[in-house]
Amino acid sequence: MSAPTPETDTTSDSTRASLEALRTEIGKAVVGQDPAVTGLVVALLCRGHVLLEGVPGVAKTLLVRSLAAALELDTKRVQFTPDLMPSDVTGSLVYDTRSSEFSFQPGPVFTNLLLADEINRTPPKTQSSLLEAMEERQVTVDGTPRLLPDPFLVAATQNPVEYEGTYPLPEAQLDRFLLKLTVPLPSRADEIQVLTRHAEGFDPRDLKAAGVRPVAGPAELEAARTAVAKVSVSAEIAGYVVDICRATRESPSLTLGVSPRGATALLSTARAWAWLTGRDYVTPDDVKALALPTLRHRIHLRPEAEMEGVTPDSVINSILAHVPVPR
């Protein structure tokens, strides 16, 4: 395979630079979560959704709010609780006594970036209220479909599934998320930096005071999506993606492997990553770079493998080590 060469299109370069500036801008509020920032940008480029997993207090909510501020996107937050109803998310018909008619009151899902906080603390009925919005980009209330804004991204946070009071997301809903990003505890140096910022007066509820400013917007995002759609994929790369996904279906550690939807998701995220790194074609390294966040939530471990300490990431890494890489 030929060596990577930078694109020469100045418009594409300018658009890429504005999206790369997001990392610096978000870094004014969030310390040490560059992989999660990159994953959110990839999801926006692919018109996908993101599941953020981490223990409480690692800045998952702040990360999403900072991204919305840096992209100048409308954002709304829903705290998912056991008593939350589907209409609390999608909206409902309300009777107007003055006009004697029912009118639709949009729910918080009508936004560009929906933060679904602690999504696994609400029962499956309310979790499923997001399925149509995530897949069809619309909400149907009383038989009438209503389109959602564009861009539209659901960034759902969840506590690790072993925590008390959680409802694990069903496979059908997990598969609707393009990426599952883990938000780890910070390193010692990063945690010291967090405390130093707070000691100096940093207020996570006031992003403007923290210096977070818009560095891109919907126009740049649309231009970037157009550029990503032009990234070429060879037959060898397509075969490599398929071989990885088929290997998950044959793994003795899994009861559920990656579906064809997962294969198309991996190809999409690899194309976005290739463009972000300055190329107009996909390499095997692009596929490997996005394999974990794109596939880890689409496979299901056998109970005996889980008891032996096997993890989804370890299964995927083993598959990547054994599937032949195209030359």
Side-chain angles (χ1 to χ4, degrees), residues 160-186:
V161 293
E162 63 270 16
Y163 269 50
E164 292 184 7
T166 60
Y167 299 82
L169 297 176
E171 286 82 1
Q173 181 145 6
L174 282 172
D175 206 35
R176 291 326 197 266
F177 287 98
L178 182 72
L179 300 172
K180 179 182 178 182
L181 305 175
T182 56
V183 185
L185 289 166

mmCIF file with all atom_site columns, all heavy atoms in Angstrom, residues 160-186:
data_model
loop_
_atom_site.group_PDB
_atom_site.id
_atom_site.type_symbol
_atom_site.label_atom_id
_atom_site.label_alt_id
_atom_site.label_comp_id
_atom_site.label_asym_id
_atom_site.label_entity_id
_atom_site.label_seq_id
_atom_site.pdbx_PDB_ins_code
_atom_site.Cartn_x
_atom_site.Cartn_y
_atom_site.Cartn_z
_atom_site.occupancy
_atom_site.B_iso_or_equiv
_atom_site.pdbx_formal_charge
_atom_site.auth_seq_id
_atom_site.auth_comp_id
_atom_site.auth_asym_id
_atom_site.auth_atom_id
_atom_site.pdbx_PDB_model_num
ATOM 1   N N   . PRO A 1 160 ? -21.015 2.235  34.830 1.00 0.00 ? 160 PRO A N   1
ATOM 2   C CA  . PRO A 1 160 ? -20.720 0.820  34.562 1.00 0.00 ? 160 PRO A CA  1
ATOM 3   C C   . PRO A 1 160 ? -21.874 -0.063 34.991 1.00 0.00 ? 160 PRO A C   1
ATOM 4   O O   . PRO A 1 160 ? -22.519 0.172  36.023 1.00 0.00 ? 160 PRO A O   1
ATOM 5   C CB  . PRO A 1 160 ? -19.459 0.563  35.405 1.00 0.00 ? 160 PRO A CB  1
ATOM 6   C CG  . PRO A 1 160 ? -18.791 1.901  35.476 1.00 0.00 ? 160 PRO A CG  1
ATOM 7   C CD  . PRO A 1 160 ? -19.916 2.903  35.543 1.00 0.00 ? 160 PRO A CD  1
ATOM 8   N N   . VAL A 1 161 ? -22.170 -1.101 34.211 1.00 0.00 ? 161 VAL A N   1
ATOM 9   C CA  . VAL A 1 161 ? -23.408 -1.871 34.385 1.00 0.00 ? 161 VAL A CA  1
ATOM 10  C C   . VAL A 1 161 ? -23.485 -2.598 35.714 1.00 0.00 ? 161 VAL A C   1
ATOM 11  O O   . VAL A 1 161 ? -24.571 -2.983 36.146 1.00 0.00 ? 161 VAL A O   1
ATOM 12  C CB  . VAL A 1 161 ? -23.581 -2.888 33.225 1.00 0.00 ? 161 VAL A CB  1
ATOM 13  C CG1 . VAL A 1 161 ? -23.821 -2.169 31.926 1.00 0.00 ? 161 VAL A CG1 1
ATOM 14  C CG2 . VAL A 1 161 ? -22.360 -3.803 33.120 1.00 0.00 ? 161 VAL A CG2 1
ATOM 15  N N   . GLU A 1 162 ? -22.347 -2.790 36.389 1.00 0.00 ? 162 GLU A N   1
ATOM 16  C CA  . GLU A 1 162 ? -22.418 -3.507 37.657 1.00 0.00 ? 162 GLU A CA  1
ATOM 17  C C   . GLU A 1 162 ? -22.879 -2.607 38.800 1.00 0.00 ? 162 GLU A C   1
ATOM 18  O O   . GLU A 1 162 ? -23.067 -3.063 39.917 1.00 0.00 ? 162 GLU A O   1
ATOM 19  C CB  . GLU A 1 162 ? -21.061 -4.135 38.003 1.00 0.00 ? 162 GLU A CB  1
ATOM 20  C CG  . GLU A 1 162 ? -19.935 -3.139 38.227 1.00 0.00 ? 162 GLU A CG  1
ATOM 21  C CD  . GLU A 1 162 ? -19.180 -2.829 36.943 1.00 0.00 ? 162 GLU A CD  1
ATOM 22  O OE1 . GLU A 1 162 ? -19.701 -3.145 35.863 1.00 0.00 ? 162 GLU A OE1 1
ATOM 23  O OE2 . GLU A 1 162 ? -18.082 -2.262 37.022 1.00 0.00 ? 162 GLU A OE2 1
ATOM 24  N N   . TYR A 1 163 ? -23.061 -1.297 38.529 1.00 0.00 ? 163 TYR A N   1
ATOM 25  C CA  . TYR A 1 163 ? -23.522 -0.393 39.577 1.00 0.00 ? 163 TYR A CA  1
ATOM 26  C C   . TYR A 1 163 ? -24.982 -0.690 39.923 1.00 0.00 ? 163 TYR A C   1
ATOM 27  O O   . TYR A 1 163 ? -25.772 -1.108 39.071 1.00 0.00 ? 163 TYR A O   1
ATOM 28  C CB  . TYR A 1 163 ? -23.390 1.070  39.116 1.00 0.00 ? 163 TYR A CB  1
ATOM 29  C CG  . TYR A 1 163 ? -22.065 1.703  39.486 1.00 0.00 ? 163 TYR A CG  1
ATOM 30  C CD1 . TYR A 1 163 ? -20.869 1.044  39.197 1.00 0.00 ? 163 TYR A CD1 1
ATOM 31  C CD2 . TYR A 1 163 ? -22.002 2.933  40.109 1.00 0.00 ? 163 TYR A CD2 1
ATOM 32  C CE1 . TYR A 1 163 ? -19.660 1.609  39.527 1.00 0.00 ? 163 TYR A CE1 1
ATOM 33  C CE2 . TYR A 1 163 ? -20.788 3.510  40.455 1.00 0.00 ? 163 TYR A CE2 1
ATOM 34  C CZ  . TYR A 1 163 ? -19.614 2.837  40.159 1.00 0.00 ? 163 TYR A CZ  1
ATOM 35  O OH  . TYR A 1 163 ? -18.416 3.393  40.502 1.00 0.00 ? 163 TYR A OH  1
ATOM 36  N N   . GLU A 1 164 ? -25.362 -0.433 41.179 1.00 0.00 ? 164 GLU A N   1
ATOM 37  C CA  . GLU A 1 164 ? -26.739 -0.674 41.605 1.00 0.00 ? 164 GLU A CA  1
ATOM 38  C C   . GLU A 1 164 ? -27.689 0.315  40.936 1.00 0.00 ? 164 GLU A C   1
ATOM 39  O O   . GLU A 1 164 ? -27.338 1.451  40.667 1.00 0.00 ? 164 GLU A O   1
ATOM 40  C CB  . GLU A 1 164 ? -26.840 -0.536 43.128 1.00 0.00 ? 164 GLU A CB  1
ATOM 41  C CG  . GLU A 1 164 ? -26.100 -1.632 43.899 1.00 0.00 ? 164 GLU A CG  1
ATOM 42  C CD  . GLU A 1 164 ? -26.303 -1.506 45.397 1.00 0.00 ? 164 GLU A CD  1
ATOM 43  O OE1 . GLU A 1 164 ? -27.119 -0.658 45.802 1.00 0.00 ? 164 GLU A OE1 1
ATOM 44  O OE2 . GLU A 1 164 ? -25.655 -2.252 46.149 1.00 0.00 ? 164 GLU A OE2 1
ATOM 45  N N   . GLY A 1 165 ? -28.923 -0.154 40.706 1.00 0.00 ? 165 GLY A N   1
ATOM 46  C CA  . GLY A 1 165 ? -29.952 0.720  40.163 1.00 0.00 ? 165 GLY A CA  1
ATOM 47  C C   . GLY A 1 165 ? -29.808 1.012  38.684 1.00 0.00 ? 165 GLY A C   1
ATOM 48  O O   . GLY A 1 165 ? -30.287 2.042  38.212 1.00 0.00 ? 165 GLY A O   1
ATOM 49  N N   . THR A 1 166 ? -29.169 0.111  37.940 1.00 0.00 ? 166 THR A N   1
ATOM 50  C CA  . THR A 1 166 ? -29.005 0.323  36.500 1.00 0.00 ? 166 THR A CA  1
ATOM 51  C C   . THR A 1 166 ? -29.794 -0.722 35.727 1.00 0.00 ? 166 THR A C   1
ATOM 52  O O   . THR A 1 166 ? -30.007 -1.845 36.189 1.00 0.00 ? 166 THR A O   1
ATOM 53  C CB  . THR A 1 166 ? -27.522 0.251  36.081 1.00 0.00 ? 166 THR A CB  1
ATOM 54  O OG1 . THR A 1 166 ? -26.994 -1.043 36.418 1.00 0.00 ? 166 THR A OG1 1
ATOM 55  C CG2 . THR A 1 166 ? -26.707 1.321  36.772 1.00 0.00 ? 166 THR A CG2 1
ATOM 56  N N   . TYR A 1 167 ? -30.234 -0.334 34.518 1.00 0.00 ? 167 TYR A N   1
ATOM 57  C CA  . TYR A 1 167 ? -30.935 -1.230 33.603 1.00 0.00 ? 167 TYR A CA  1
ATOM 58  C C   . TYR A 1 167 ? -30.059 -1.374 32.351 1.00 0.00 ? 167 TYR A C   1
ATOM 59  O O   . TYR A 1 167 ? -29.971 -0.424 31.571 1.00 0.00 ? 167 TYR A O   1
ATOM 60  C CB  . TYR A 1 167 ? -32.294 -0.654 33.188 1.00 0.00 ? 167 TYR A CB  1
ATOM 61  C CG  . TYR A 1 167 ? -33.268 -0.423 34.329 1.00 0.00 ? 167 TYR A CG  1
ATOM 62  C CD1 . TYR A 1 167 ? -33.182 0.730  35.116 1.00 0.00 ? 167 TYR A CD1 1
ATOM 63  C CD2 . TYR A 1 167 ? -34.266 -1.337 34.602 1.00 0.00 ? 167 TYR A CD2 1
ATOM 64  C CE1 . TYR A 1 167 ? -34.075 0.962  36.152 1.00 0.00 ? 167 TYR A CE1 1
ATOM 65  C CE2 . TYR A 1 167 ? -35.173 -1.113 35.638 1.00 0.00 ? 167 TYR A CE2 1
ATOM 66  C CZ  . TYR A 1 167 ? -35.071 0.035  36.400 1.00 0.00 ? 167 TYR A CZ  1
ATOM 67  O OH  . TYR A 1 167 ? -35.959 0.260  37.424 1.00 0.00 ? 167 TYR A OH  1
ATOM 68  N N   . PRO A 1 168 ? -29.396 -2.501 32.181 1.00 0.00 ? 168 PRO A N   1
ATOM 69  C CA  . PRO A 1 168 ? -28.516 -2.650 31.015 1.00 0.00 ? 168 PRO A CA  1
ATOM 70  C C   . PRO A 1 168 ? -29.275 -2.395 29.710 1.00 0.00 ? 168 PRO A C   1
ATOM 71  O O   . PRO A 1 168 ? -30.412 -2.844 29.530 1.00 0.00 ? 168 PRO A O   1
ATOM 72  C CB  . PRO A 1 168 ? -28.057 -4.117 31.109 1.00 0.00 ? 168 PRO A CB  1
ATOM 73  C CG  . PRO A 1 168 ? -28.196 -4.456 32.568 1.00 0.00 ? 168 PRO A CG  1
ATOM 74  C CD  . PRO A 1 168 ? -29.401 -3.690 33.046 1.00 0.00 ? 168 PRO A CD  1
ATOM 75  N N   . LEU A 1 169 ? -28.652 -1.665 28.793 1.00 0.00 ? 169 LEU A N   1
ATOM 76  C CA  . LEU A 1 169 ? -29.289 -1.380 27.511 1.00 0.00 ? 169 LEU A CA  1
ATOM 77  C C   . LEU A 1 169 ? -29.394 -2.663 26.692 1.00 0.00 ? 169 LEU A C   1
ATOM 78  O O   . LEU A 1 169 ? -28.438 -3.436 26.622 1.00 0.00 ? 169 LEU A O   1
ATOM 79  C CB  . LEU A 1 169 ? -28.471 -0.350 26.731 1.00 0.00 ? 169 LEU A CB  1
ATOM 80  C CG  . LEU A 1 169 ? -28.324 1.037  27.353 1.00 0.00 ? 169 LEU A CG  1
ATOM 81  C CD1 . LEU A 1 169 ? -27.401 1.903  26.507 1.00 0.00 ? 169 LEU A CD1 1
ATOM 82  C CD2 . LEU A 1 169 ? -29.672 1.708  27.487 1.00 0.00 ? 169 LEU A CD2 1
ATOM 83  N N   . PRO A 1 170 ? -30.552 -2.911 26.056 1.00 0.00 ? 170 PRO A N   1
ATOM 84  C CA  . PRO A 1 170 ? -30.690 -4.110 25.217 1.00 0.00 ? 170 PRO A CA  1
ATOM 85  C C   . PRO A 1 170 ? -29.801 -4.018 23.989 1.00 0.00 ? 170 PRO A C   1
ATOM 86  O O   . PRO A 1 170 ? -29.414 -2.925 23.550 1.00 0.00 ? 170 PRO A O   1
ATOM 87  C CB  . PRO A 1 170 ? -32.180 -4.103 24.841 1.00 0.00 ? 170 PRO A CB  1
ATOM 88  C CG  . PRO A 1 170 ? -32.612 -2.681 24.985 1.00 0.00 ? 170 PRO A CG  1
ATOM 89  C CD  . PRO A 1 170 ? -31.778 -2.100 26.088 1.00 0.00 ? 170 PRO A CD  1
ATOM 90  N N   . GLU A 1 171 ? -29.473 -5.189 23.411 1.00 0.00 ? 171 GLU A N   1
ATOM 91  C CA  . GLU A 1 171 ? -28.568 -5.237 22.260 1.00 0.00 ? 171 GLU A CA  1
ATOM 92  C C   . GLU A 1 171 ? -29.065 -4.377 21.104 1.00 0.00 ? 171 GLU A C   1
ATOM 93  O O   . GLU A 1 171 ? -28.276 -3.717 20.425 1.00 0.00 ? 171 GLU A O   1
ATOM 94  C CB  . GLU A 1 171 ? -28.386 -6.688 21.779 1.00 0.00 ? 171 GLU A CB  1
ATOM 95  C CG  . GLU A 1 171 ? -27.520 -7.557 22.670 1.00 0.00 ? 171 GLU A CG  1
ATOM 96  C CD  . GLU A 1 171 ? -28.295 -8.115 23.862 1.00 0.00 ? 171 GLU A CD  1
ATOM 97  O OE1 . GLU A 1 171 ? -29.508 -7.825 23.966 1.00 0.00 ? 171 GLU A OE1 1
ATOM 98  O OE2 . GLU A 1 171 ? -27.680 -8.818 24.682 1.00 0.00 ? 171 GLU A OE2 1
ATOM 99  N N   . ALA A 1 172 ? -30.391 -4.347 20.881 1.00 0.00 ? 172 ALA A N   1
ATOM 100 C CA  . ALA A 1 172 ? -30.941 -3.578 19.758 1.00 0.00 ? 172 ALA A CA  1
ATOM 101 C C   . ALA A 1 172 ? -30.647 -2.095 19.904 1.00 0.00 ? 172 ALA A C   1
ATOM 102 O O   . ALA A 1 172 ? -30.400 -1.397 18.915 1.00 0.00 ? 172 ALA A O   1
ATOM 103 C CB  . ALA A 1 172 ? -32.449 -3.807 19.652 1.00 0.00 ? 172 ALA A CB  1
ATOM 104 N N   . GLN A 1 173 ? -30.664 -1.611 21.150 1.00 0.00 ? 173 GLN A N   1
ATOM 105 C CA  . GLN A 1 173 ? -30.383 -0.185 21.351 1.00 0.00 ? 173 GLN A CA  1
ATOM 106 C C   . GLN A 1 173 ? -28.887 0.090  21.358 1.00 0.00 ? 173 GLN A C   1
ATOM 107 O O   . GLN A 1 173 ? -28.431 1.104  20.828 1.00 0.00 ? 173 GLN A O   1
ATOM 108 C CB  . GLN A 1 173 ? -30.995 0.313  22.659 1.00 0.00 ? 173 GLN A CB  1
ATOM 109 C CG  . GLN A 1 173 ? -30.756 1.803  22.892 1.00 0.00 ? 173 GLN A CG  1
ATOM 110 C CD  . GLN A 1 173 ? -31.909 2.492  23.581 1.00 0.00 ? 173 GLN A CD  1
ATOM 111 O OE1 . GLN A 1 173 ? -32.851 1.837  23.996 1.00 0.00 ? 173 GLN A OE1 1
ATOM 112 N NE2 . GLN A 1 173 ? -31.858 3.794  23.688 1.00 0.00 ? 173 GLN A NE2 1
ATOM 113 N N   . LEU A 1 174 ? -28.100 -0.800 21.930 1.00 0.00 ? 174 LEU A N   1
ATOM 114 C CA  . LEU A 1 174 ? -26.651 -0.630 21.902 1.00 0.00 ? 174 LEU A CA  1
ATOM 115 C C   . LEU A 1 174 ? -26.146 -0.536 20.475 1.00 0.00 ? 174 LEU A C   1
ATOM 116 O O   . LEU A 1 174 ? -25.245 0.240  20.160 1.00 0.00 ? 174 LEU A O   1
ATOM 117 C CB  . LEU A 1 174 ? -25.971 -1.799 22.617 1.00 0.00 ? 174 LEU A CB  1
ATOM 118 C CG  . LEU A 1 174 ? -25.985 -1.770 24.148 1.00 0.00 ? 174 LEU A CG  1
ATOM 119 C CD1 . LEU A 1 174 ? -25.447 -3.084 24.699 1.00 0.00 ? 174 LEU A CD1 1
ATOM 120 C CD2 . LEU A 1 174 ? -25.167 -0.606 24.671 1.00 0.00 ? 174 LEU A CD2 1
ATOM 121 N N   . ASP A 1 175 ? -26.745 -1.324 19.584 1.00 0.00 ? 175 ASP A N   1
ATOM 122 C CA  . ASP A 1 175 ? -26.313 -1.360 18.189 1.00 0.00 ? 175 ASP A CA  1
ATOM 123 C C   . ASP A 1 175 ? -26.586 -0.046 17.470 1.00 0.00 ? 175 ASP A C   1
ATOM 124 O O   . ASP A 1 175 ? -26.020 0.216  16.414 1.00 0.00 ? 175 ASP A O   1
ATOM 125 C CB  . ASP A 1 175 ? -27.014 -2.513 17.465 1.00 0.00 ? 175 ASP A CB  1
ATOM 126 C CG  . ASP A 1 175 ? -26.208 -3.009 16.276 1.00 0.00 ? 175 ASP A CG  1
ATOM 127 O OD1 . ASP A 1 175 ? -24.961 -2.994 16.360 1.00 0.00 ? 175 ASP A OD1 1
ATOM 128 O OD2 . ASP A 1 175 ? -26.818 -3.403 15.264 1.00 0.00 ? 175 ASP A OD2 1
ATOM 129 N N   . ARG A 1 176 ? -27.482 0.789  18.028 1.00 0.00 ? 176 ARG A N   1
ATOM 130 C CA  . ARG A 1 176 ? -27.786 2.088  17.409 1.00 0.00 ? 176 ARG A CA  1
ATOM 131 C C   . ARG A 1 176 ? -26.706 3.123  17.705 1.00 0.00 ? 176 ARG A C   1
ATOM 132 O O   . ARG A 1 176 ? -26.659 4.159  17.066 1.00 0.00 ? 176 ARG A O   1
ATOM 133 C CB  . ARG A 1 176 ? -29.128 2.630  17.908 1.00 0.00 ? 176 ARG A CB  1
ATOM 134 C CG  . ARG A 1 176 ? -30.408 1.902  17.473 1.00 0.00 ? 176 ARG A CG  1
ATOM 135 C CD  . ARG A 1 176 ? -30.384 1.308  16.107 1.00 0.00 ? 176 ARG A CD  1
ATOM 136 N NE  . ARG A 1 176 ? -31.688 0.977  15.578 1.00 0.00 ? 176 ARG A NE  1
ATOM 137 C CZ  . ARG A 1 176 ? -32.275 -0.221 15.667 1.00 0.00 ? 176 ARG A CZ  1
ATOM 138 N NH1 . ARG A 1 176 ? -31.675 -1.186 16.333 1.00 0.00 ? 176 ARG A NH1 1
ATOM 139 N NH2 . ARG A 1 176 ? -33.438 -0.442 15.097 1.00 0.00 ? 176 ARG A NH2 1
ATOM 140 N N   . PHE A 1 177 ? -25.865 2.845  18.705 1.00 0.00 ? 177 PHE A N   1
ATOM 141 C CA  . PHE A 1 177 ? -24.782 3.762  19.004 1.00 0.00 ? 177 PHE A CA  1
ATOM 142 C C   . PHE A 1 177 ? -23.598 3.457  18.097 1.00 0.00 ? 177 PHE A C   1
ATOM 143 O O   . PHE A 1 177 ? -23.151 2.312  18.000 1.00 0.00 ? 177 PHE A O   1
ATOM 144 C CB  . PHE A 1 177 ? -24.360 3.655  20.467 1.00 0.00 ? 177 PHE A CB  1
ATOM 145 C CG  . PHE A 1 177 ? -25.334 4.265  21.430 1.00 0.00 ? 177 PHE A CG  1
ATOM 146 C CD1 . PHE A 1 177 ? -26.261 3.482  22.096 1.00 0.00 ? 177 PHE A CD1 1
ATOM 147 C CD2 . PHE A 1 177 ? -25.326 5.637  21.648 1.00 0.00 ? 177 PHE A CD2 1
ATOM 148 C CE1 . PHE A 1 177 ? -27.162 4.055  22.977 1.00 0.00 ? 177 PHE A CE1 1
ATOM 149 C CE2 . PHE A 1 177 ? -26.233 6.217  22.531 1.00 0.00 ? 177 PHE A CE2 1
ATOM 150 C CZ  . PHE A 1 177 ? -27.153 5.426  23.189 1.00 0.00 ? 177 PHE A CZ  1
ATOM 151 N N   . LEU A 1 178 ? -23.105 4.486  17.433 1.00 0.00 ? 178 LEU A N   1
ATOM 152 C CA  . LEU A 1 178 ? -21.958 4.295  16.545 1.00 0.00 ? 178 LEU A CA  1
ATOM 153 C C   . LEU A 1 178 ? -20.722 3.911  17.335 1.00 0.00 ? 178 LEU A C   1
ATOM 154 O O   . LEU A 1 178 ? -19.978 3.003  16.946 1.00 0.00 ? 178 LEU A O   1
ATOM 155 C CB  . LEU A 1 178 ? -21.695 5.586  15.762 1.00 0.00 ? 178 LEU A CB  1
ATOM 156 C CG  . LEU A 1 178 ? -20.545 5.529  14.754 1.00 0.00 ? 178 LEU A CG  1
ATOM 157 C CD1 . LEU A 1 178 ? -20.920 4.683  13.560 1.00 0.00 ? 178 LEU A CD1 1
ATOM 158 C CD2 . LEU A 1 178 ? -20.170 6.949  14.305 1.00 0.00 ? 178 LEU A CD2 1
ATOM 159 N N   . LEU A 1 179 ? -20.491 4.588  18.459 1.00 0.00 ? 179 LEU A N   1
ATOM 160 C CA  . LEU A 1 179 ? -19.284 4.371  19.262 1.00 0.00 ? 179 LEU A CA  1
ATOM 161 C C   . LEU A 1 179 ? -19.638 4.216  20.733 1.00 0.00 ? 179 LEU A C   1
ATOM 162 O O   . LEU A 1 179 ? -20.575 4.848  21.221 1.00 0.00 ? 179 LEU A O   1
ATOM 163 C CB  . LEU A 1 179 ? -18.316 5.555  19.130 1.00 0.00 ? 179 LEU A CB  1
ATOM 164 C CG  . LEU A 1 179 ? -17.771 5.898  17.740 1.00 0.00 ? 179 LEU A CG  1
ATOM 165 C CD1 . LEU A 1 179 ? -17.002 7.205  17.798 1.00 0.00 ? 179 LEU A CD1 1
ATOM 166 C CD2 . LEU A 1 179 ? -16.882 4.782  17.212 1.00 0.00 ? 179 LEU A CD2 1
ATOM 167 N N   . LYS A 1 180 ? -18.856 3.389  21.411 1.00 0.00 ? 180 LYS A N   1
ATOM 168 C CA  . LYS A 1 180 ? -18.903 3.352  22.868 1.00 0.00 ? 180 LYS A CA  1
ATOM 169 C C   . LYS A 1 180 ? -17.523 3.780  23.358 1.00 0.00 ? 180 LYS A C   1
ATOM 170 O O   . LYS A 1 180 ? -16.518 3.100  23.127 1.00 0.00 ? 180 LYS A O   1
ATOM 171 C CB  . LYS A 1 180 ? -19.229 1.955  23.403 1.00 0.00 ? 180 LYS A CB  1
ATOM 172 C CG  . LYS A 1 180 ? -19.258 1.911  24.926 1.00 0.00 ? 180 LYS A CG  1
ATOM 173 C CD  . LYS A 1 180 ? -19.525 0.511  25.441 1.00 0.00 ? 180 LYS A CD  1
ATOM 174 C CE  . LYS A 1 180 ? -19.490 0.494  26.977 1.00 0.00 ? 180 LYS A CE  1
ATOM 175 N NZ  . LYS A 1 180 ? -19.700 -0.885 27.511 1.00 0.00 ? 180 LYS A NZ  1
ATOM 176 N N   . LEU A 1 181 ? -17.483 4.942  24.015 1.00 0.00 ? 181 LEU A N   1
ATOM 177 C CA  . LEU A 1 181 ? -16.231 5.508  24.480 1.00 0.00 ? 181 LEU A CA  1
ATOM 178 C C   . LEU A 1 181 ? -16.138 5.352  25.994 1.00 0.00 ? 181 LEU A C   1
ATOM 179 O O   . LEU A 1 181 ? -17.091 5.664  26.706 1.00 0.00 ? 181 LEU A O   1
ATOM 180 C CB  . LEU A 1 181 ? -16.140 6.991  24.118 1.00 0.00 ? 181 LEU A CB  1
ATOM 181 C CG  . LEU A 1 181 ? -16.326 7.336  22.631 1.00 0.00 ? 181 LEU A CG  1
ATOM 182 C CD1 . LEU A 1 181 ? -16.345 8.852  22.447 1.00 0.00 ? 181 LEU A CD1 1
ATOM 183 C CD2 . LEU A 1 181 ? -15.213 6.721  21.792 1.00 0.00 ? 181 LEU A CD2 1
ATOM 184 N N   . THR A 1 182 ? -15.012 4.872  26.456 1.00 0.00 ? 182 THR A N   1
ATOM 185 C CA  . THR A 1 182 ? -14.795 4.781  27.897 1.00 0.00 ? 182 THR A CA  1
ATOM 186 C C   . THR A 1 182 ? -14.099 6.057  28.358 1.00 0.00 ? 182 THR A C   1
ATOM 187 O O   . THR A 1 182 ? -13.166 6.543  27.719 1.00 0.00 ? 182 THR A O   1
ATOM 188 C CB  . THR A 1 182 ? -13.932 3.565  28.255 1.00 0.00 ? 182 THR A CB  1
ATOM 189 O OG1 . THR A 1 182 ? -12.689 3.623  27.539 1.00 0.00 ? 182 THR A OG1 1
ATOM 190 C CG2 . THR A 1 182 ? -14.652 2.275  27.890 1.00 0.00 ? 182 THR A CG2 1
ATOM 191 N N   . VAL A 1 183 ? -14.598 6.611  29.446 1.00 0.00 ? 183 VAL A N   1
ATOM 192 C CA  . VAL A 1 183 ? -14.025 7.833  30.025 1.00 0.00 ? 183 VAL A CA  1
ATOM 193 C C   . VAL A 1 183 ? -13.355 7.424  31.336 1.00 0.00 ? 183 VAL A C   1
ATOM 194 O O   . VAL A 1 183 ? -14.025 7.248  32.358 1.00 0.00 ? 183 VAL A O   1
ATOM 195 C CB  . VAL A 1 183 ? -15.101 8.905  30.264 1.00 0.00 ? 183 VAL A CB  1
ATOM 196 C CG1 . VAL A 1 183 ? -14.475 10.197 30.753 1.00 0.00 ? 183 VAL A CG1 1
ATOM 197 C CG2 . VAL A 1 183 ? -15.894 9.157  28.977 1.00 0.00 ? 183 VAL A CG2 1
ATOM 198 N N   . PRO A 1 184 ? -12.040 7.258  31.328 1.00 0.00 ? 184 PRO A N   1
ATOM 199 C CA  . PRO A 1 184 ? -11.357 6.724  32.504 1.00 0.00 ? 184 PRO A CA  1
ATOM 200 C C   . PRO A 1 184 ? -11.108 7.780  33.572 1.00 0.00 ? 184 PRO A C   1
ATOM 201 O O   . PRO A 1 184 ? -11.267 8.986  33.350 1.00 0.00 ? 184 PRO A O   1
ATOM 202 C CB  . PRO A 1 184 ? -10.022 6.225  31.926 1.00 0.00 ? 184 PRO A CB  1
ATOM 203 C CG  . PRO A 1 184 ? -9.758  7.180  30.797 1.00 0.00 ? 184 PRO A CG  1
ATOM 204 C CD  . PRO A 1 184 ? -11.116 7.505  30.208 1.00 0.00 ? 184 PRO A CD  1
ATOM 205 N N   . LEU A 1 185 ? -10.721 7.317  34.729 1.00 0.00 ? 185 LEU A N   1
ATOM 206 C CA  . LEU A 1 185 ? -10.258 8.228  35.768 1.00 0.00 ? 185 LEU A CA  1
ATOM 207 C C   . LEU A 1 185 ? -8.977  8.908  35.296 1.00 0.00 ? 185 LEU A C   1
ATOM 208 O O   . LEU A 1 185 ? -8.166  8.298  34.586 1.00 0.00 ? 185 LEU A O   1
ATOM 209 C CB  . LEU A 1 185 ? -9.989  7.466  37.063 1.00 0.00 ? 185 LEU A CB  1
ATOM 210 C CG  . LEU A 1 185 ? -11.233 6.942  37.806 1.00 0.00 ? 185 LEU A CG  1
ATOM 211 C CD1 . LEU A 1 185 ? -10.829 5.924  38.856 1.00 0.00 ? 185 LEU A CD1 1
ATOM 212 C CD2 . LEU A 1 185 ? -11.993 8.088  38.441 1.00 0.00 ? 185 LEU A CD2 1
ATOM 213 N N   . PRO A 1 186 ? -8.768  10.172 35.650 1.00 0.00 ? 186 PRO A N   1
ATOM 214 C CA  . PRO A 1 186 ? -7.582  10.880 35.161 1.00 0.00 ? 186 PRO A CA  1
ATOM 215 C C   . PRO A 1 186 ? -6.302  10.370 35.812 1.00 0.00 ? 186 PRO A C   1
ATOM 216 O O   . PRO A 1 186 ? -6.325  9.766  36.897 1.00 0.00 ? 186 PRO A O   1
ATOM 217 C CB  . PRO A 1 186 ? -7.859  12.340 35.562 1.00 0.00 ? 186 PRO A CB  1
ATOM 218 C CG  . PRO A 1 186 ? -8.767  12.234 36.748 1.00 0.00 ? 186 PRO A CG  1
ATOM 219 C CD  . PRO A 1 186 ? -9.617  11.025 36.505 1.00 0.00 ? 186 PRO A CD  1
#
